[in-house]
Amino acid sequence: MTPLLQVITSRDLQSLALAAALFLSLAASAFVFRRRLRGLLNAREWRVFFKLVAIVVMALLLVFTSIAVEFPAEKFIYGRF
Amino acid sequence: MPEDAAHDSGTPIRWGRVFGLLLLGLLVVEAASQVYVYAWAGERFRSFHKQTWSPYGLVRNNPDLTLPGFHHNRDGFRNLKDFARRKPSNTLRVIMLGGSTLYSGIASTHVAGAERVDSDATAAQFLEQELRADPALAGVNVEVINAAVNFNRIVEISGGYLAEYAHWQPDVVIVFGSANNFNVSMPERGEVYRREYGVQPDHAWKSEFDRAANRKTFLAMSEHAVLYLEDNLAGVALAKKGLTSAIDDAFAYAQARSFEKRPAPPRTYAGREECDLYVNEYLGYADALVAAAKRNNQEVAFFWEYFLRHLGGIRPFGEREQAVYDKIRRGQSREEIDFNFYARDRLADFCGERGVTFLNPLDVLKTNRETLYIDYLHYTKEGNRAMARFIHEQMRETFRRRAQMVREGARSQAPAASE
C-alpha cells in the first residue's frame, strides 16, 4: 500500500483519539437515552431521518470520488485545492 | 415492536420534526467539530484550505488556514506578523521565495516524533534574528518575509516575483525551491523533448483551477457548494477531510492489490544534450527574475536544496535521519545524483555570470550533526536555524552594504521631510 498522503504527527493522533472519544460518547449517550429518542420520532421517522443523512453523505462521496478518479492523490502531495 | 411498526406505518410522517431534528443534529455536529478543531489546532476554525488562487504564480497561501503550526499572515506569507506592502523608511527588507523547503513543510515519512514546524521557526524568522543581532546593522529595522508556497517551481516563483513580490520593495531576494525544478529523479530519455519533466508540464493545481473555475458542469456546481460550506462549517470541512482521505487510501489500497501488476521497465536516462535543454529552460526563468531584480535595484541569491537521499556517504546522518534515509533510498541511481549535482553546478555558473550570490549549503550538511532534515527534503527547526546562519554568513557583506544604503536613504529623506 502506498503511504498515506496525509501527514499524521503524534499531535494529530492525539486529536484523532479525541474525535473517537467524542464519537463514542455521542453513541453511548444515544444508547442511554434511547427511550427519549424514541419519544422524539417513531421508528419509521428515524428510518427516514437516517435515509436523508445517508443521501447527503453518499452525494458527498460521489462528488469526492469523481474528483479523486480524475485527479489522483499522488499528484497532490501537498493536498488538493 | 412489530405492533409499534404497524402502528407507525399507519401514521403520517411528521416532516417538521424530522427536519427539525436534522437541523439540531447539524448544530450538535458543528459544535462538536468546532471543539475538536480548537483542541487540535489551538485556534478557532477558519478554513482547511491551504491555498487560494492567484493569477500570478498560480496560488498563494490561504491567510485563514487553520492547522497546527502552519500559520499565515494576512497576505498569505509564512510569518506571524504582518508587513506593509510599502517598505517603511530605514528598513532592510529581505524577501524569500521558494517552495516547501522554505515553507518548512513535512512529508508523510518523517523523522520520529516530528511535529509541523511553526511559523516562528522557518529559515526566514531565524535569518531575521541573525540580522537583528548583527552589530553592523544596528539602527536599521529588519524585515524578512517568507513568501514560500508549497510546490512552487521557478515558473511560479519567477512569475510571482515579476508581478507582485518585486513591488514589496525588498532590498534582497533569496530564491529557494530548486528541488521542485530538479526532482529527486532525473529525466528519462525523451521526457524533456516531450515536455513532461519538472517545470515543463502544467502544475497539477492548474488543472484543479480549470476544474473549479472554468467547468460549467453539475459536478463543478456541487463542488462549489461544498467549497462554500466547508469554509463556513467546521463539520463539513472535517467531513471532507475524512472522506477524501478515505477515498484516496481506498484507491491506493486497490492499486497496491490489483492483479495486473507489470514490473516497471528499466529506466533509460536522458543524455547530456537533453538535460542541458531542460537546465537552460530553468535558467531562462531565473534570468528573467535576475534581470527584473537588477532593474529594481534588488540583490538576488539562489539557494540549492539537497535531497536527503542524495547525501548518502556525504552527510553524517543522525539516528533519526538515517531511519528516514533507509526507508526512501531504494531505487536511487548514481546517474540521478550526478544529474542533480550537475544542475546545481550549472546554476552556480549562471549566478557567477550574472553577479548574483549562489548559496550552496553542502558544507553545513557535511559538518552539522544535528537532525537537520525532518523528512526526505525539508528541514527541522534546527535545520532552518542552521540554514539561516549559513545565509547570513555567506551574504554578510551584501546585507551590510544594503543596510548602509538604507541608512543613507533614510538620512536623505529626513531633511526633505523636515523642510
Side-chain angles (χ1 to χ4, degrees), chain B residues 186-419:
Chain B
M186 70 179 285
E188 292 194 51
R189 188 174 298 158
E191 203 176 358
V192 173
Y193 296 131
R194 294 192 303 271
R195 300 197 58 74
E196 290 174 354
Y197 181 74
V199 303
Q200 294 180 307
D202 282 341
H203 197 294
W205 279 328
K206 182 184 173 292
S207 49
E208 287 244 318
F209 178 79
D210 281 339
R211 186 190 74 234
N214 296 332
R215 276 196 196 171
K216 311 288 186 289
T217 60
F218 180 74
L219 177 67
M221 188 191 74
S222 312
E223 195 186 349
H224 271 279
V226 176
L227 285 171
Y228 168 76
L229 288 173
E230 67 172 309
D231 257 7
N232 290 284
L233 297 171
V236 177
L238 281 173
K240 185 189 176 184
K241 214 172 169 59
L243 284 174
T244 48
S245 295
I247 291 164
D248 290 340
D249 290 341
F251 273 111
Y253 184 84
Q255 269 175 355
R257 275 155 185 76
S258 60
F259 291 118
E260 195 182 18
K261 267 195 215 161
R262 290 181 193 156
R267 291 173 69 85
T268 49
Y269 295 116
R272 178 53 56 89
E273 189 188 341
E274 192 174 354
C275 288
D276 275 336
L277 190 69
Y278 178 76
V279 175
N280 286 339
E281 188 167 337
Y282 165 83
L283 292 177
Y285 287 101
D287 225 353
L289 193 154
V290 170
K294 288 197 170 173
R295 185 70 66 177
N296 293 322
N297 190 26
Q298 296 164 5
E299 308 270 351
V300 182
F302 284 84
F303 180 96
W304 191 260
E305 299 166 352
Y306 285 92
F307 289 97
L308 183 75
R309 62 198 277 185
H310 289 168
L311 295 174
I314 296 174
R315 171 165 168 71
F317 294 133
E319 197 179 312
R320 296 196 299 161
E321 283 178 345
Q322 185 69 47
V324 173
Y325 178 75
D326 291 341
K327 276 184 199 164
I328 63 175
R329 66 186 292 191
R330 285 187 294 276
Q332 187 69 65
S333 71
R334 188 67 242 171
E335 288 99 320
E336 288 175 323
I337 299 171
D338 288 345
F339 168 69
N340 195 270
F341 291 2
Y342 171 71
R344 173 200 64 191
D345 295 340
R346 287 285 314 273
L347 179 59
D349 292 345
F350 163 84
C351 289
E353 287 164 16
R354 296 293 183 275
V356 302
T357 308
F358 180 65
L359 297 163
N360 179 1
L362 192 60
D363 283 341
V364 179
L365 298 171
K366 278 180 181 172
T367 53
N368 192 313
R369 291 182 168 271
E370 287 184 286
T371 304
L372 301 183
Y373 280 90
I374 201 165
D375 56 35
Y376 73 103
L377 174 66
H378 312 111
Y379 301 130
T380 56
K381 184 178 176 178
E382 293 73 31
N384 287 331
R385 187 184 283 122
M387 293 309 152
R389 197 174 301 131
F390 163 74
I391 292 169
H392 182 218
E393 283 166 7
Q394 294 291 307
M395 299 185 70
R396 197 184 300 270
E397 290 313 312
T398 305
F399 291 130
R400 289 180 178 183
R401 190 175 69 252
R402 294 300 302 211
Q404 190 54 33
M405 288 167 68
V406 165
R407 281 193 200 97
E408 285 163 10
R411 270 200 291 272
S412 64
Q413 277 174 1
S418 63
E419 284 165 19

Side-chain angles (χ1 to χ4, degrees), chain B residues 77-224:
Chain B
F77 296 135
R78 179 89 143 102
N79 291 82
L80 293 175
K81 65 179 177 187
D82 293 317
F83 301 97
R85 182 181 283 255
R86 188 179 172 80
K87 190 179 72 161
S89 65
N90 196 37
T91 300
L92 175 73
R93 176 174 277 180
V94 180
I95 196 161
M96 300 174 83
L97 311 174
S100 59
T101 303
L102 176 62
Y103 183 92
S104 210
I106 180 172
S108 50
T109 303
H110 49 254
V111 296
E115 289 294 337
R116 294 176 184 86
V117 174
D118 282 300
S119 295
D120 61 356
T122 75
Q125 286 74 36
F126 287 122
L127 180 60
E128 188 170 304
Q129 287 174 21
E130 290 274 333
L131 294 174
R132 285 179 190 278
D134 187 341
L137 271 58
V140 173
N141 300 324
V142 176
E143 291 180 348
V144 181
I145 299 175
N146 185 341
V149 176
N150 287 324
F151 219 166
N152 254 4
R153 312 166 303 174
I154 193 72
V155 181
E156 288 76 40
I157 291 171
S158 188
Y161 170 77
L162 293 173
E164 185 190 350
Y165 299 127
H167 310 303
W168 281 78
Q169 302 170 299
D171 298 285
V172 180
V173 181
I174 303 176
V175 183
F176 277 58
S178 66
N180 290 340
N181 310 289
F182 302 100
N183 306 341
V184 74
S185 59
M186 70 179 285
E188 292 194 51
R189 188 174 298 158
E191 203 176 358
V192 173
Y193 296 131
R194 294 192 303 271
R195 300 197 58 74
E196 290 174 354
Y197 181 74
V199 303
Q200 294 180 307
D202 282 341
H203 197 294
W205 279 328
K206 182 184 173 292
S207 49
E208 287 244 318
F209 178 79
D210 281 339
R211 186 190 74 234
N214 296 332
R215 276 196 196 171
K216 311 288 186 289
T217 60
F218 180 74
L219 177 67
M221 188 191 74
S222 312
E223 195 186 349
H224 271 279

